[in-house]
């Protein structure tokens, strides 16, 4: 490391920075099974089950805008997105810790609202709030949540274990959270221009809810278990289908083909995207924040799952690692890229 | 909760806010042994040992000032203060996760420095960095670390289990980190007034190190174990001796008497406090950030520990819960308060 050198963070990007940070880390404790590189790290405490841990940090002005995000929803979402990381390992969440930094701009009642949301999510996902830290912020609100979970050793699901011919599935429709965000941003601009304007959000309940109150798909984790299915790989869709599919393929050494007409998009997402002149498939591929599960199953497990109302089969893994593409409705092949995926 | 009401955070204070947040939380999972209210939460994963978890969040401008804190030291300290929470439960740290938020003001090289410190602390404390989150901040640097540890079920030490007549011990001298901070702040002001001034820090290595590179006292945890001693209660000294002693007493339902002439203060701390016209005992009681362990032992364990070079015996617990006081060198009794303890 040359102390006089200055490399800008934007030259590396987030994934480049994570690679640099992770470089040279060797796990030294026998209790550490896997570290950085999956939705959660895996620990073996000597119990029958593995312990899982994952962390997310949310900052005001970056991850949320309090001008349209109610604090109670923010608290709920902050827990849900962490639980989603445990779901993506096929695990059961058990405890969270919550560290918050806040300024005197927040009243005690506001913080109680935030924690009402956190506690509602704890009740929903059967998670205990066991610890945390409260501190002062000179700038905005910061929330950092860490979640612990447990998973049977034979049922833990990683990103790197998909095989060619495995079927690629999602646990629900995509793109709604992104379109919900566009709507909320539009209404904020309208309000700023004219504080007496009434928000135009009728008939938009679904996409607004997808943005403000996403759910971790623990229901799907339990249902897969009841059906006797252990996915061959899994990740949660926080950054968009394209980015997550690339993670599964890169880590598993597979290629993938997905089909535009199989990507699940809700009617309200579709229509609202049209209002914004945005391609709804772009929303699904690159929008993010849907917190659905993207997973792969063996072909022989398909019959057990084919009638599940929430699971969509969008394509399959291949043995061509460099070939990850979308087949459009017009049967064109379009390469999938993590960001800036340009519609044809 | 009345939505029209506004109560200011300063009316409650940090501990009042934590009480309000914690109110009504009932642990629902059998795996959750204890939650909020100790240095770490305790989980039973079904293994022979309990799992411990603790979280700390550090914000630029609140917890550290990058004009005199090198990033490498900051990374080291951020890990050490978390490990200290595991030490305070008599546990062994095993893994950490690190969430950071940073702005484009930081170069890749700067972040590598920060992580060099984090990794150096991981090596020192035999901890694995297993996960994290990297995100953008519009304001300053935020670091949130969560640590996991393990502890034998028969050796976990809580805050609430001290008994009258137990001897109160500290693992090292106090007040140094606070005086180190005063020195660094003074030199910063000098530098701001005259950028060509040379820092006056000769002979201040010890107190500077106490502030910039504190160590978690894992050595003492291992030594107590070798001596066959399980403390009856323990806490780490992050906020100052007065505040931590009050925590032990309040949670244990005991009173305490400590003796001014028994409080360990290093010579450099003593002399530097004199330069600043600050009473060194005030530094020890209210300064904070020493990250020594404050613990209690049974009278019968005293012979095993009396010759330990790093352990100081400063007083004893009593059966008078409301009577927590310091006996001065002049044999006056002064009540101990958490903050704003005024010297006589």
């Amino acid at each position: 490391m040359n102390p006089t050198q200055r490399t800008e963070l934007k030259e590396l990007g987030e994934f480049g920075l994570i690679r640099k940070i992770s470089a040279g880390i060797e796990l030294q404790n026998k209790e550490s099974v896997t570290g950085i590189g999956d939705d959660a790290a895996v620990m073996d405490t000597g119990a029958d089950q593995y312990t899982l841990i994952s962390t997310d940090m949310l900052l005001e002005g970056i991850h949320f805008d309090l001008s349209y995000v109610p604090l109670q929803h923010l608290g709920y979402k902050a827990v849900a997105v962490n639980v989603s990381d445990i779901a993506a390992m096929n695990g059961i969440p058990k405890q969270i810790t919550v560290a918050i930094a806040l300024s005197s701009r927040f009243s005690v009642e506001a913080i109680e609202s935030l924690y009402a949301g956190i506690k509602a999510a704890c009740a929903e996902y059967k998670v205990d709030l066991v610890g945390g830290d409260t501190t002062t912020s000179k700038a905005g609100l910061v929330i950092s949540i860490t979640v612990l979970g447990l998973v049977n050793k034979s049922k833990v699901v990683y990103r790197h274990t998909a095989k060619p011919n495995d079927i690629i599935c999602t646990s629900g429709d995509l793109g709604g959270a992104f379109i919900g965000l566009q709507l909320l941003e539009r209404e904020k601009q309208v309000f700023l221009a004219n504080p007496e304007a009434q928000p135009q959000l009728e008939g938009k309940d679904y996409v607004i809810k997808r943005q403000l109150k996403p759910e971790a798909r623990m229901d799907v984790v339990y249902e897969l278990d009841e059906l006797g299915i252990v996915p061959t790989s899994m990740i949660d869709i926080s950054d968009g289908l394209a980015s997550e599919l690339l993670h599964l393929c890169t880590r598993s050494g597979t290629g993938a083909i997905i089909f535009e007409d199989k990507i699940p998009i809700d009617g309200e997402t579709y229509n609202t995207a049209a209002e914004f002149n945005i391609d709804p498939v772009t929303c699904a591929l690159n929008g993010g924040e849907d917190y659905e599960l993207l997973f792969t199953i063996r072909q022989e497990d398909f019959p057990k799952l084919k009638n599940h109302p929430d699971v969509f089969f969008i394509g399959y893994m291949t043995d061509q690692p460099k070939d990850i593409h979308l087949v459009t409705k017009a049967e064109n092949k379009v390469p999938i890229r993590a960001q800036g995926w340009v519609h044809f």
Side-chain angles (χ1 to χ4, degrees), chain A:
Chain A
M1 190 163 58
N2 177 348
T4 62
Q5 195 176 331
R6 181 179 169 98
T7 312
E8 299 302 327
L9 283 169
K10 66 182 175 199
E11 292 174 39
L12 273 186
E14 187 190 353
F15 297 135
L17 180 63
I18 293 171
R19 270 193 301 275
K20 222 172 180 53
I21 290 168
S22 318
I25 292 181
E26 284 178 25
L27 303 178
Q28 53 187 328
N29 289 314
K30 67 175 173 19
E31 294 88 353
S32 306
V33 179
T34 66
I36 294 169
D38 218 308
D39 290 81
V42 178
M43 272 89 51
D44 187 347
T45 60
D48 292 343
Q49 296 183 296
Y50 284 141
T51 296
L52 303 167
I53 188 168
S54 182
T55 289
D56 268 299
M57 183 148 64
L58 303 175
L59 283 89
E60 185 178 352
I62 305 288
H63 301 93
F64 57 88
D65 182 335
L66 291 177
S67 65
Y68 54 74
V69 176
L71 281 164
Q72 193 160 347
H73 284 59
L74 177 64
Y76 191 97
K77 182 171 175 174
V79 176
V81 305
N82 272 280
V83 168
S84 183
D85 282 321
I86 299 298
M89 304 298 292
N90 209 28
I92 310 297
K94 293 290 178 180
Q95 293 93 12
I96 57 166
T97 62
V98 178
I100 57 167
L102 39 98
S103 67
S104 57
R105 164 164 87 83
F106 294 94
S107 66
V108 172
E109 289 77 14
I111 302 309
E112 285 184 297
S113 265
L114 178 71
Y115 274 86
I118 289 171
K119 289 175 186 176
C122 284
E124 173 66 27
Y125 299 116
K126 298 180 181 61
V127 170
D128 291 319
L129 172 57
V130 294
D133 194 12
T134 52
T135 182
T136 311
S137 163
K138 280 187 182 171
L141 180 64
V142 183
I143 308 175
S144 181
I145 295 192
T146 299
V147 60
L148 287 179
L150 292 173
V151 61
N152 284 339
K153 289 182 180 176
S154 61
K155 292 178 178 173
V156 61
V157 178
Y158 298 103
R159 294 180 180 175
H160 66 268
T161 40
K163 293 276 183 298
N165 302 318
D166 287 350
I167 299 169
I168 302 168
C169 315
T170 77
S171 62
D173 63 86
L174 302 175
F178 176 77
I179 279 297
L181 180 64
Q182 305 314 306
L183 265 178
L184 290 164
E185 286 281 354
R186 183 186 73 189
E187 294 308 313
K188 179 187 175 185
Q189 296 309 322
V190 169
F191 176 82
L192 289 173
N194 174 13
E196 291 181 17
Q198 290 297 303
Q200 302 282 315
L201 296 172
E202 300 99 80
K204 304 296 188 192
D205 294 359
Y206 182 72
V207 295
I208 298 290
K209 193 179 173 198
R210 292 293 278 175
Q211 171 58 223
L212 292 183
K213 194 165 176 278
E215 298 284 356
R217 296 309 303 265
M218 284 308 304
D219 55 336
V220 173
V221 171
Y222 288 114
E223 285 158 9
L224 288 172
D225 193 45
E226 282 162 21
L227 294 168
I229 297 174
V230 179
T232 56
S233 70
M234 189 147 58
I235 189 169
D236 77 327
I237 303 180
S238 53
D239 291 339
L241 175 58
S243 173
E244 314 307 354
L245 181 61
L246 286 169
H247 280 305
L248 290 187
C249 289
T250 308
R251 294 294 312 280
S252 296
T254 60
I257 298 172
I258 62 171
F259 300 91
E260 183 180 5
D261 62 358
K262 302 288 187 192
I263 295 177
I265 295 173
D266 180 78
E268 199 176 302
T269 302
Y270 199 92
N271 294 332
T272 315
E275 285 177 35
F276 281 91
N277 285 317
I278 305 176
D279 176 29
V281 177
T282 305
C283 298
L285 284 168
N286 296 318
E289 291 205 278
D290 290 311
Y291 297 102
E292 296 295 341
L293 296 169
L294 177 69
F295 59 98
T296 54
I297 60 166
R298 288 175 198 86
Q299 297 259 356
E300 57 261 39
D301 282 333
F302 177 69
K304 297 187 223 170
L305 200 57
K306 67 179 180 186
N307 293 321
H308 193 293
D310 281 0
V311 175
F312 300 87
F313 307 95
I314 63 171
Y316 55 90
M317 291 294 192
T318 71
D319 60 2
Q320 302 293 314
K322 286 181 183 164
D323 189 9
I324 300 161
H325 67 263
L326 174 79
V327 176
T328 68
K329 289 171 188 164
E331 300 200 352
N332 291 316
K333 279 180 60 171
V334 182
I336 289 176
R337 298 189 185 89
Q339 285 176 318
W341 180 81
V342 181
H343 201 48
F344 25 89

